[in-house]
Amino acid sequence: MKQKSSCSSNSTPNSEQTSPRAMNSPQKTPCQSSCSLSQSPIASGNCSKSAVDAKRRRRMMEEGYYLPPELWIQVFARLPVKSLLKFRCVSKEWRGLIDCPDFASMHITHYKNNRENKNLLLIESPPWEEERWTVLAGDTFTKTILFLGKDAFDCSFARGYLNGLLLIIKQYGGYGDNEEITLWNPSVRKFMQLPLCPIFGEDNDKLDEMANVEYGLGFDSSSNDYKVVVIAYHFPEDDAETQVASLVQVYSLKSGCWKSITDGNPSLDCFGPQVFVDGAIHWLGSDGIIDDGVYTQIVSFDVRCEVFNYLNLPNSGDYHGPMVTYLSVLDDSLALLDVFPDNINVWVMENSRVSESWRRRYTINLQYVRFLYLKNNGELLFTRPHKGVESYNIKTQQLKDVDKTCPDQLRFIHTYVESLVLFNRVDAECVEFSGQKENQGVEGND
C-alpha cells in the first residue's frame, strides 16, 4: 500500500504515570505490566522506605483494609467515570492504576452500564431552540445529563461514536470549506481538535470539485490507537453524475499524523451513520444515485491494515414496497435492517467479513414504524404515528412503551459509553456547557 504521512505538531504526549510502592502479589495483571506498577523499591535502593511500606501493609492486612493492586483494578473497572476521577486524588497508587492506558480499555468493557447498554446519547435540533446533546436512561428516556451544545459545537454534526469518543465535524460552508474535526468525550468533559486535514488545505487543487465528504472513527486494538478516516469524493470532468473517491486521509491519535491512502480507494459513495465492528468501519455504499433508499454494497475500512474492502448486501428476495436500510451491530456482529411498511427484517453476518454468511435471523411484524436505533443486546427503539417511543426486544418479543413523547428533530442516537479516553491528553481541552444539567442519582446507578 502506498502511503504518505503528514505529521502534525500535536504528537501524542506521554501520559502522566506514577509508579506506586511495591506490592507483594503472586502475578501481574496486563494493566500492571504496562504501567510498571510492581517495581521493587529494594531493587532501586530504597530499602528503608520498603521496610516502612511492608509494616504498613502488614498492619492494613491485619485490620482487613489492604487489597493487592490486581484486586483494586477489578474494583475500579466497575465504577463510573465520575467516581474514578475522584479516586485519583486519594493516593499516588490509585492514580497510577487509573491512569494506566490499558485500564481505560478494561473499564469500557467491565463497567456495568456500558455492558448492559443502559444509557443513550441523543442529539436533537428543536426548531428555534438551542441544540440539545442529551444522555438518557435507555429504559425510561429519563434525562441523565443535558448539554446545551450551541456554545461549544455550533454548526456541528456528529459522524461517529466509539468507546465514549464522539466524532464531530464543524462545517461553516460547503464541503471542504473550513471544516474542523473534533473528538469529544462527554464523560470527562474533554475535547481535542485535530490538525487541519490535508484534503482541506489550500494546496488541494480538487477542493472546488468536491461533491461529498464522508468520515469514520475506528479503534486499532493491536496498537491501542484511535483513527479518523476522511473520504473525499469529486465529480470527474467527463461525468457529471458519477462520484469517485479521489482522496483518503487517516489520522492516528497515537502518532498525531495524517496519512494519505492512495491504493484501493473506494469507488462507491459511502453513506453514514458508520458502524464499527470486528476491527473495521462500515458504511452503506452506492455506485450512483440512491433510488428509494436502496444501496448496492457495504464499504469497510480495516483500521489496523488501513485498507478498504467490500461486502455484498443480503438478498432479501421479498421486496414489496418502499424500504429503508440501516447498518447496526447485534451481539457484537455486523447487522443490517430492512425496514418495510409492515415489517422489519434483521440480518446478521455470522462469519466476520464473509458476505455469504448473511442470515435473516428475525422478522418483526410492526407496521408504520419509524426506526430509531437497535442496541447491541437486541432492543429495538422506534416510534409510530400518534405514539411516543416504544421498544421491542427481538429476542424475547417483549413490546413496551418507553416515553410518551418523541425525540424532537433527532439528528444522532447511540448507546452512551463512559470512558477515560482523552482524559490524560495534555493537548485535549476541557469544555464547559452553558446550561449543563446533571441528575446525580441516575449517573451512578450500576
Side-chain angles (χ1 to χ4, degrees):
M1 177 185 299
K2 301 176 182 177
Q3 300 175 344
K4 298 178 182 178
S5 178
S6 174
C7 292
S8 71
S9 57
N10 293 332
S11 60
T12 303
N14 293 326
S15 299
E16 181 181 354
Q17 299 176 358
T18 305
S19 298
R21 303 177 185 93
M23 301 259 185
N24 294 325
S25 57
Q27 53 184 321
K28 302 178 186 178
T29 66
C31 211
Q32 288 175 269
S33 301
S34 64
C35 294
S36 301
L37 295 176
S38 300
Q39 295 178 355
S40 171
I42 297 178
S44 61
N46 196 354
C47 297
S48 60
K49 184 178 179 181
S50 175
V52 173
D53 291 344
K55 291 180 180 179
R56 182 180 301 168
R57 286 198 302 272
R58 284 196 298 270
R59 184 172 67 252
M60 293 175 68
M61 292 179 68
E62 292 171 358
E63 297 175 357
Y65 297 140
Y66 175 78
L67 282 178
E70 61 269 19
L71 292 185
W72 278 121
I73 292 173
Q74 295 295 327
V75 172
F76 291 152
R78 288 159 174 80
L79 298 178
V81 165
K82 191 172 183 179
S83 299
L84 294 176
L85 299 184
K86 293 179 179 179
F87 291 162
R88 292 178 72 254
C89 304
V90 172
S91 68
K92 292 183 178 180
E93 287 84 356
W94 284 16
R95 181 175 181 175
L97 290 171
I98 295 171
D99 286 357
C100 173
D102 286 344
F103 175 77
S105 298
M106 180 181 180
H107 175 263
I108 291 171
T109 58
H110 282 67
Y111 179 47
K112 186 177 181 180
N113 282 8
N114 293 343
R115 294 198 322 269
E116 297 183 358
N117 309 140
K118 280 198 170 184
N119 297 328
L120 294 169
L121 174 65
L122 272 70
I123 301 177
E124 302 172 82
S125 297
W128 315 111
E129 294 182 24
E130 284 186 299
E131 190 170 81
R132 295 196 294 260
W133 305 52
T134 314
V135 177
L136 302 178
D139 53 348
T140 62
F141 261 51
T142 303
K143 289 181 175 61
T144 303
I145 308 172
L146 171 63
F147 305 99
L148 299 180
K150 182 177 179 180
D151 296 341
F153 300 124
D154 193 19
C155 303
S156 298
F157 304 89
R159 303 308 295 268
Y161 187 73
L162 178 64
N163 292 349
L165 278 184
L166 189 65
L167 175 62
I168 300 172
I169 310 302
K170 180 176 286 190
Q171 200 173 64
Y172 296 100
Y175 290 117
D177 187 8
N178 298 320
E179 296 200 4
E180 295 178 0
I181 304 175
T182 302
L183 295 174
W184 177 47
N185 185 345
S187 303
V188 295
R189 312 292 197 268
K190 280 200 171 184
F191 75 96
M192 176 181 173
Q193 184 175 324
L194 304 189
L196 180 67
C197 177
I199 289 178
F200 307 130
E202 295 180 356
D203 56 346
N204 180 10
D205 56 0
K206 294 183 179 180
L207 192 61
D208 294 335
E209 302 175 10
M210 283 189 189
N212 186 26
V213 180
E214 189 54 67
Y215 300 85
L217 174 64
F219 178 67
D220 179 5
S221 59
S222 66
S223 60
N224 198 25
D225 187 18
Y226 290 86
K227 297 181 181 181
V228 175
V229 183
V230 180
I231 309 171
Y233 299 86
H234 75 101
F235 291 120
E237 295 180 359
D238 57 347
D239 192 339
E241 295 185 357
T242 303
Q243 300 180 37
V244 296
S246 58
L247 299 172
V248 176
Q249 290 279 339
V250 178
Y251 181 82
S252 164
L253 193 61
K254 197 169 188 177
S255 68
C257 294
W258 283 105
K259 181 188 297 182
S260 175
I261 307 297
T262 57
D263 281 350
N265 293 354
S267 57
L268 299 180
D269 199 354
C270 299
F271 293 89
Q274 68 156 65
V275 167
F276 181 80
V277 65
D278 295 328
I281 306 169
H282 299 79
W283 303 268
L284 288 168
S286 173
D287 56 4
I289 299 175
I290 296 180
D291 184 18
D292 292 330
V294 178
Y295 300 92
T296 54
Q297 277 187 312
I298 296 173
V299 180
S300 71
F301 180 78
D302 188 303
V303 178
R304 182 177 67 86
C305 300
E306 298 183 347
V307 295
F308 287 94
N309 296 290
Y310 301 91
L311 298 169
N312 293 328
L313 296 171
N315 182 16
S316 61
D318 56 356
Y319 179 81
H320 50 87
M323 175 184 70
V324 183
T325 302
Y326 299 93
L327 279 181
S328 189
V329 178
L330 179 62
D331 295 330
D332 297 322
S333 297
L334 183 64
L336 184 140
L337 284 76
D338 286 337
V339 181
F340 295 95
D342 55 357
N343 65 62
I344 301 174
N345 290 332
V346 181
W347 299 80
V348 177
M349 181 171 286
E350 298 186 335
N351 296 325
S352 175
R353 308 186 191 186
V354 179
S355 298
E356 291 75 19
S357 66
W358 282 113
R359 176 172 170 259
R360 185 166 61 182
R361 189 172 292 181
Y362 303 99
T363 296
I364 306 167
N365 295 318
L366 293 172
Q367 293 184 339
Y368 307 113
V369 165
R370 178 196 171 203
F371 171 78
L372 296 179
Y373 187 66
L374 175 65
K375 295 184 181 180
N376 186 38
N377 61 8
E379 184 181 357
L380 179 71
L381 297 175
F382 61 93
T383 63
R384 285 189 283 187
H386 312 298
K387 290 190 176 184
V389 178
E390 299 176 83
S391 77
Y392 179 82
N393 191 308
I394 63 178
K395 299 177 182 179
T396 64
Q397 300 182 1
Q398 181 182 5
L399 178 66
K400 67 177 183 179
D401 295 329
V402 176
D403 192 22
K404 294 181 179 180
T405 60
C406 294
D408 198 353
Q409 298 294 320
L410 183 65
R411 289 176 52 193
F412 185 85
I413 181 171
H414 203 285
T415 300
Y416 178 65
V417 174
E418 290 193 37
S419 80
L420 293 166
V421 182
L422 288 188
F423 178 71
N424 284 316
R425 299 274 309 199
V426 298
D427 52 351
E429 302 177 46
C430 288
V431 57
E432 296 295 338
F433 287 81
S434 63
Q436 179 176 311
K437 301 177 183 179
E438 192 167 326
N439 186 330
Q440 302 287 351
V442 178
E443 186 187 26
N445 181 19
D446 58 357

